[in-house]
Amino acid sequence: MSDAIDGRPHEVGVDPGRLERIDGWMRDLVAQGKLAGLSVSVARRGRTVFRRAHGFADLARKTPFTTDTVTRIYSMTKPLTSVAVMQLYEEGRFQLDDPVSRFLPEFSEMRVATGGNRAKLETEPARRPITIRDLLTHTGGLTYGFMESTLVDALYRQQGADFLRPDASLAEVVATVAKLPLLSQPGEAWNYSVSTDVLGHLVAVVSGRDFADYLREAVIAPLGMVDTDFFVRPENLGRFAANYVYDRSRTLTLYDDAVETTFAKPPAIAGGGGGLVSTASDYMRFCRFILNRGELDGVRLLGRKTVELMTMNHLPGDLAAIGTPRFAESSYHGIGFGLGFSVMLDPAKAQIVGTPGEVAWGGMASTAFWIDPAEDLAVVLLTQLVPSSALPIRKELRVLTYAALVD
C-alpha cells in the first residue's frame, strides 16, 4: 500500500464523487468554527484514495493544518502498547491468563470496593487475580480518576494515580494504583481505565528495558513511524498543533499551546495509555500493519494468528452487557473489545454503518481510526479538540466514508 494518493479510487470500489463529500464536510467544520483544523486519510485495497487537511493547526500563529501536522493522539497510544505486550507474549514470556502479579507483585492482594462513603470505603477481597488479558481488555477492575463518578475514581485523584505526573516514575504510579481498591471484581465488568499504562510498566519489567525505549525500538521504528514519539522533537515543533476546548459560549479556546507545551520535552512518565504524538501518515502505517496481519513493507512484528486474536471480541457480549456506561472512546451497544481495540459486533445495535469485525479506537482530542479487514479499509482522523465527545465527527466521517464504497 502506497502513501501516495491514487487518482483512480473507482478501481478499488470507491466512488470519487461520494468521496469528495468528506472534503466538503471538513471545510464546513472549519468554516463554522467547530474545529480549528483537521486531516482525514482513507486507504483501501492497497491504495491511499483520500488524504486532505483543512484549517489551522494553530489559530493564533495561523499555521495551516496539513497532512503531516503532528498531533497528540492520547488513547490511540493504547493499540501500540498492546502490540508491544503481544510481542512479548509471542516470545513465550507469559500467557494471557497469567496473573499480572507474577511480574508486578504489588497487585497480589487486591480488594474490591463494595460500598461505603468518602469517610470509609467498604471493600472485599478480589475473588481471583487480575490477569494480563484483563488489563488488555479493561476488565481488571481498574478505572480513571477523571471519570468522577465513583468513590474509587475519587481515590485515584486523591492518591495521585495519574500517569501525567511530572514528579513520579512509571513504576511509582503503578504502585499507587495497586494500593487502591478495584471498581469491580476482575473479569466481571468492562471499565475504561489505566490498564494500558500498567501494561507499559509490565513491558518494561518483562523486557528489562525502559518502556519508551522498547516501544520506539520494537514497534515505532520498525513500522517507519518517523514522527511518532512521547514528545515532539525540536525539528518537529513547527508542525505541532495547538489543542483546543470549547468554552461555555461554544467558542474554541486554547487548551495546550503548540510551542509552550509539556510535549516539547520528554515526559517523566511514558504513558502507554495515552502519551504519544503522531501524524496521519505514521498512524496509517500502523493501520496498514494491522490490516496486513502483523507485517508491513517486509517487516513482521507479530504473527498472523496473534493479530487475529487481538482483533476478535474477548467479552461475553458487547460493552453494554458487561459495562456500566460512563465513558469510552466508543459507544457501548453493539461494540465489543479485543486486545487493545474496540471490535464492531453488530452495526444495527451500534446504530452506525460499519462491518462486523472492524477494530477502532480514538483519543481525548477527538482523533480516531478504524480498520475494516472485510472491506480492506483503513481511516485516520486527526484533529485537536477536547473532549472527544464535543462533536459527533467520528460518526459523521464513518457515514461519509462507507457511503463512498460502491463495489
Side-chain angles (χ1 to χ4, degrees):
M1 183 183 293
S2 171
D3 288 330
I5 293 294
D6 192 291
R8 297 161 296 173
H10 61 279
E11 293 184 358
V12 290
V14 181
D15 183 285
R18 286 174 166 258
L19 198 61
E20 281 299 313
R21 293 174 180 173
I22 298 175
D23 190 86
W25 168 78
M26 295 169 71
R27 291 177 184 274
D28 286 346
L29 286 168
V30 173
Q32 294 167 15
K34 293 181 176 180
L35 295 175
L38 74 163
S39 72
V40 172
S41 301
V42 180
R44 193 179 196 215
R45 293 182 188 162
R47 296 183 185 178
T48 300
V49 295
F50 186 93
R51 189 172 68 236
R52 306 273 178 87
H54 291 293
F56 293 101
D58 187 326
L59 289 170
R61 299 176 180 89
K62 301 301 181 185
T63 307
F65 202 111
T66 69
T67 55
D68 67 350
T69 289
V70 180
T71 65
R72 305 154 192 78
I73 61 170
Y74 291 116
S75 288
M76 282 167 56
T77 303
K78 288 179 170 70
L80 278 78
T81 301
S82 300
V83 166
V85 172
M86 298 308 288
Q87 286 179 319
L88 297 173
Y89 167 73
E90 284 194 335
E91 292 176 8
R93 306 289 192 97
F94 49 75
Q95 293 301 306
L96 297 180
D97 57 358
D98 280 348
V100 70
S101 58
R102 175 185 166 194
F103 303 96
L104 308 180
E106 55 266 43
F107 286 95
S108 296
E109 302 291 336
M110 300 304 294
R111 298 189 66 84
V112 181
T114 58
N117 52 47
R118 288 181 180 271
K120 182 175 175 56
L121 189 66
E122 298 171 359
T123 65
E124 65 181 12
R127 289 193 282 269
R128 69 160 175 80
I130 301 170
T131 67
I132 294 171
R133 178 181 171 276
D134 289 333
L135 295 180
L136 285 162
T137 57
H138 295 279
T139 57
L142 305 182
T143 185
Y144 269 122
F146 72 77
M147 296 289 194
E148 299 189 3
S149 58
T150 71
L151 293 174
V152 178
D153 301 342
L155 279 178
Y156 270 59
R157 295 193 300 275
Q158 292 167 9
Q159 299 299 319
D162 179 359
F163 288 86
L164 297 177
R165 285 174 55 185
D167 61 339
S169 68
L170 179 59
E172 288 169 340
V173 180
V174 168
T176 298
V177 170
K179 293 175 184 175
L180 300 175
L182 301 176
L183 198 60
S184 59
Q185 288 287 343
E188 293 189 2
W190 190 91
N191 290 294
Y192 197 37
S193 70
V194 299
S195 292
T196 316
D197 296 284
V198 175
L199 286 172
H201 184 46
L202 176 73
V203 168
V205 170
V206 172
S207 68
R209 296 156 64 181
D210 175 79
F211 169 63
D213 290 342
Y214 182 96
L215 198 68
R216 289 184 190 107
E217 296 164 9
V219 180
I220 293 171
L223 290 179
M225 299 174 71
V226 296
D227 293 323
T228 301
D229 210 327
F230 286 99
F231 71 106
V232 185
R233 294 188 290 274
E235 64 272 22
N236 288 343
L237 266 178
R239 291 193 281 128
F240 191 44
N243 200 3
Y244 297 92
V245 64
Y246 275 131
D247 62 21
R248 292 182 179 179
S249 64
R250 303 295 288 174
T251 301
L252 292 174
T253 302
L254 188 66
Y255 180 83
D256 182 44
D257 190 58
V259 177
E260 300 297 323
T261 173
T262 56
F263 285 91
K265 60 182 181 179
I269 299 173
L276 291 175
V277 299
S278 191
T279 63
S281 295
D282 274 12
Y283 213 88
M284 182 58 80
R285 291 187 65 80
F286 177 75
C287 293
R288 289 167 51 193
F289 157 73
I290 296 298
L291 267 182
N292 292 343
R293 294 189 291 182
E295 180 271 336
L296 182 65
D297 296 343
V299 177
R300 180 165 289 281
L301 301 186
L302 287 176
R304 173 176 62 85
K305 298 299 292 185
T306 301
V307 175
E308 290 175 4
L309 181 66
M310 293 179 73
T311 55
M312 63 179 60
N313 184 35
H314 285 249
L315 305 183
D318 61 11
L319 298 182
I322 192 174
T324 301
R326 300 198 303 157
F327 173 82
E329 300 290 349
S330 166
S331 60
Y332 274 65
H333 293 279
I335 307 293
F337 207 84
L339 304 181
F341 310 85
S342 65
V343 182
M344 174 68 78
L345 302 179
D346 187 336
K349 283 187 177 180
Q351 299 186 53
I352 190 67
V353 64
T355 308
E358 72 180 43
V359 295
W361 206 241
M364 182 178 76
S366 303
T367 60
F369 76 95
W370 79 89
I371 302 165
D372 186 334
E375 295 287 354
D376 199 356
L377 174 77
V379 180
V380 176
L381 164 67
L382 294 185
T383 187
Q384 298 283 263
L385 177 70
V386 295
S388 58
S389 57
L391 294 172
I393 56 175
R394 296 169 179 172
K395 287 186 174 183
E396 291 169 353
L397 180 58
R398 291 176 64 86
V399 174
L400 291 164
T401 302
Y402 277 115
L405 305 187
V406 292
D407 58 350

